[in-house]
């Protein structure tokens, strides 16, 4: 393992600003709000802010405040944050981001999670944090190798935790990081103390009468999942079938990459009008900048192709395998998938913790950090009591 610091050359930032100044914008797009995708007036304003006002060096300095490392796992160079708690009995927590995500999602919660005493909390709730960049994402990429399916990803993460000396740990994730965390519960159950998710996809099995007695709220959740499969999963469908074709635009045009990512912060968060309702534009642009400056817009798309068999875009076919470690679920109502408890209990008999919140979406650590931290602390306490 080697220490790592982010050091983006100034020439790369100059190139980004030049490209943002020379955008060839589409003409005469219909005025349709967000219904047809990112509105051009909004994107022009955001692109100009990225070019003229956003401060990458500040974001870079913030990231470099945290201990970062790289190591080789199954042939891939993997970047990760390793933030140790000052508390000697801290519970190791392995957080996996999704797409379009990055390790920077969790910088704001690292302090409260690792050092609750310093934030007015109980030191018994402390965690050690391990936060890797997925292969092909950000500073773990670009990767040229295919075949990063769930078992391979899970075994790589299990090896990472072994190298760090952790005998017992908790995988945590949202988005498709949740699938990786569940896979860890299958491939490394002797070391996984429990799994905590804020994305859990639950689908009807198709059995007769299964929907009888569903509450209005559960039917609304089912309709939300159906809307995602039908309307909001365009990026998933393209990246899981033709990732090379998408990669050209994402590698060559920062505005294409910006539109591709910022749409998800509008569709998958608790935002009423614009993504900034849920996540600040600087936080969004830091994530977009990481993809751009590392050239991983295209390589990150490859993961969808390798995980196509476990993606919930074919609703009737999707099902997770059950796990044996205890499972905790945090439900945020504006995530793309809002699980139905009846179906969750059917598929996951080891659920021991279930929280429902009235706000927040897919990027819970950015949108509702206090709720995110509080739920992890509650789950950690439960695991220590078992």
């Amino acid at each position: 393992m080697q220490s790592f610091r982010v050091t983006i050359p100034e020439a790369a930032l100059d190139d980004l600003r030049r490209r943002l100044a020379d955008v060839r914008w589409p003409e005469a797009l219909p005025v349709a709000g967000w219904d047809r995708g990112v509105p051009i007036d909004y994107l022009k304003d955001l692109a100009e802010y990225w070019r003229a006002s956003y401060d990458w060096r500040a974001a870079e300095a913030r990231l470099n405040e945290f201990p970062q490392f790289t190591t080789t796992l199954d042939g891939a160079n993997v970047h990760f944050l390793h933030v140790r708690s000052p508390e000697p009995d801290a519970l190791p927590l392995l957080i996996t981001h999704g797409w379009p995500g990055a390790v920077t999602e969790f910088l704001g919660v690292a302090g409260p999670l690792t050092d609750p005493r310093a934030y007015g909390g109980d030191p018994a709730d402390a965690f050690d944090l391990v936060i890797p960049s997925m292969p092909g994402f950000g500073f773990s990429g670009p990767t040229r190798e295919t075949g990063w399916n769930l078992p391979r990803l899970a075994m790589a993460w299990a090896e990472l935790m072994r190298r760090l000396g952790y005998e017992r740990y908790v995988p945590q994730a949202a988005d498709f990081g949740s699938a990786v965390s569940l896979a860890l519960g299958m491939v490394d159950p002797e070391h996984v103390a429990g799994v905590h998710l804020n994305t859990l996809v639950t689908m009807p099995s198709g059995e007769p009468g299964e929907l009888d007695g569903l509450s209005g709220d559960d039917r609304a959740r089912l309709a939300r999942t159906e809307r995602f499969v039908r309307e909001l999963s365009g990026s998933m469908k393209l990246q899981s079938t033709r990732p090379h074709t998408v990669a050209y635009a994402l590698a060559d045009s920062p505005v294409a990459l910006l539109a591709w990512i910022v749409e998800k912060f509008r569709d998958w968060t608790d935002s009423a009008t614009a993504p900034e309702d849920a996540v600040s534009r600087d936080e969004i642009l830091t994530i977009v900048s990481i993809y751009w400056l590392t050239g991983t817009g295209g390589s990150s798309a490859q993961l969808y192709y390798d995980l196509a068999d476990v993606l919930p875009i074919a609703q009737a076919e999707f099902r997770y395998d059950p796990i044996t470690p205890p499972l905790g679920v945090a439900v945020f109502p504006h995530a793309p998938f809002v699980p139905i408890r009846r179906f969750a209990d059917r598929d996951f008999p080891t659920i021991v913790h279930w929280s429902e919140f009235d706000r927040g979406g897919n990027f819970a650590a950015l949108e509702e950090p206090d709720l995110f931290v509080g739920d992890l602390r509650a789950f950690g306490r439960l695991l220590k009591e078992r």
Side-chain angles (χ1 to χ4, degrees), residues 359-379:
R359 60 191 187 277
N362 192 61
F363 303 92
L366 285 175
E367 296 180 65
E368 299 295 340
D370 291 344
L371 297 181
F372 181 79
V373 168
D375 204 68
L376 276 168
R377 288 176 177 175
F379 185 61

Side-chain angles (χ1 to χ4, degrees), residues 10-11 58 66 71 113 117 119 129 175 280 286 307 317 325 344 349 363-364 368 382:
E10 190 64 29
F66 295 84
T71 191
L113 287 173
R117 186 195 305 265
Y119 290 81
L129 295 185
D175 202 81
S280 75
T286 293
L307 298 180
E317 301 173 6
F363 303 92
E368 299 295 340
L382 188 153

Side-chain angles (χ1 to χ4, degrees), residues 109-132:
V109 297
L113 287 173
T114 58
D115 193 7
R117 186 195 305 265
Y119 290 81
D122 185 343
D125 290 335
F127 295 93
D128 277 356
L129 295 185
V130 180
I131 311 174

Side-chain angles (χ1 to χ4, degrees), residues 80-98:
F80 63 98
L81 276 61
H82 187 200
V83 189
R84 292 187 182 273
S85 171
E87 306 299 337
D89 59 347
L91 183 61
L93 184 68
L94 171 64
I95 302 181
T96 304
H97 65 78

Side-chain angles (χ1 to χ4, degrees), residues 48-106:
E48 176 59 16
Y49 180 85
W50 192 12
R51 186 193 69 81
S53 301
Y54 170 75
D55 187 351
W56 165 257
R57 292 302 183 200
E60 184 179 79
R62 183 182 182 223
L63 183 53
N64 284 333
E65 292 173 0
F66 295 84
Q68 300 172 78
F69 303 88
T70 60
T71 191
T72 301
L73 295 169
D74 197 4
N77 180 65
V78 172
H79 161 264
F80 63 98
L81 276 61
H82 187 200
V83 189
R84 292 187 182 273
S85 171
E87 306 299 337
D89 59 347
L91 183 61
L93 184 68
L94 171 64
I95 302 181
T96 304
H97 65 78
W99 184 92
V103 297
T104 55
E105 289 178 57
F106 309 102

Side-chain angles (χ1 to χ4, degrees), residues 93-98 105-106 130 132 134 157 170-184 194-200 320 327-330 332 361-365 372 376 379:
L93 184 68
L94 171 64
I95 302 181
T96 304
H97 65 78
E105 289 178 57
F106 309 102
V130 180
M134 295 275 274
W157 274 195
V170 176
Q172 196 287 326
D175 202 81
F176 63 49
S178 293
V180 179
S181 294
L182 287 170
L184 271 163
V195 177
H196 183 278
L197 307 177
N198 47 296
T199 294
L200 185 67
Y320 285 126
L327 176 61
V329 181
F332 292 90
N362 192 61
F363 303 92
F372 181 79
L376 276 168
F379 185 61

Side-chain angles (χ1 to χ4, degrees), residues 156-324:
W157 274 195
E159 172 63 14
L160 174 61
M161 298 305 279
R162 187 195 68 79
R163 291 185 192 178
L164 292 173
Y166 292 123
E167 288 293 324
R168 185 171 177 264
Y169 63 94
V170 176
Q172 196 287 326
D175 202 81
F176 63 49
S178 293
V180 179
S181 294
L182 287 170
L184 271 163
M186 289 183 279
V187 305
D188 198 25
E190 64 272 26
H191 298 117
V192 171
V195 177
H196 183 278
L197 307 177
N198 47 296
T199 294
L200 185 67
V201 181
T202 58
M203 299 285 195
S205 66
E207 293 294 324
E210 185 181 29
L211 303 184
D212 293 350
L214 275 186
S215 68
D217 180 63
D218 282 344
R219 290 185 181 275
R221 295 180 179 198
L222 188 58
R224 184 174 183 83
T225 296
E226 291 169 347
R227 180 177 179 236
F228 175 85
V229 173
R230 181 183 66 252
E231 180 183 341
L232 302 182
S233 59
S235 57
M236 181 182 292
K237 291 170 183 173
L238 285 171
Q239 293 181 159
S240 65
T241 56
R242 293 295 186 270
H244 280 18
T245 304
V246 175
Y248 301 116
L250 302 184
D252 187 59
S253 169
V255 164
L257 180 67
L258 179 61
W260 197 238
I261 291 177
V262 78
E263 179 187 85
K264 307 311 161 196
F265 280 88
R266 170 61 169 76
D267 288 345
W268 299 352
T269 63
D270 190 355
S271 58
T273 56
E276 293 92 330
D277 295 341
V279 179
S280 75
R281 60 170 48 188
D282 280 1
E283 294 280 11
I284 296 171
L285 288 173
T286 293
I287 291 174
V288 178
S289 296
I290 288 174
Y291 281 90
W292 176 261
L293 295 169
T294 59
T296 53
S299 62
S300 65
Q302 304 298 319
L303 193 62
Y304 275 89
Y305 191 94
D306 290 326
L307 298 180
D309 60 332
V310 298
L311 296 176
I313 50 179
Q315 184 171 325
E317 301 173 6
F318 183 81
R319 189 74 76 247
Y320 285 126
D321 292 327
I323 61 172
T324 56

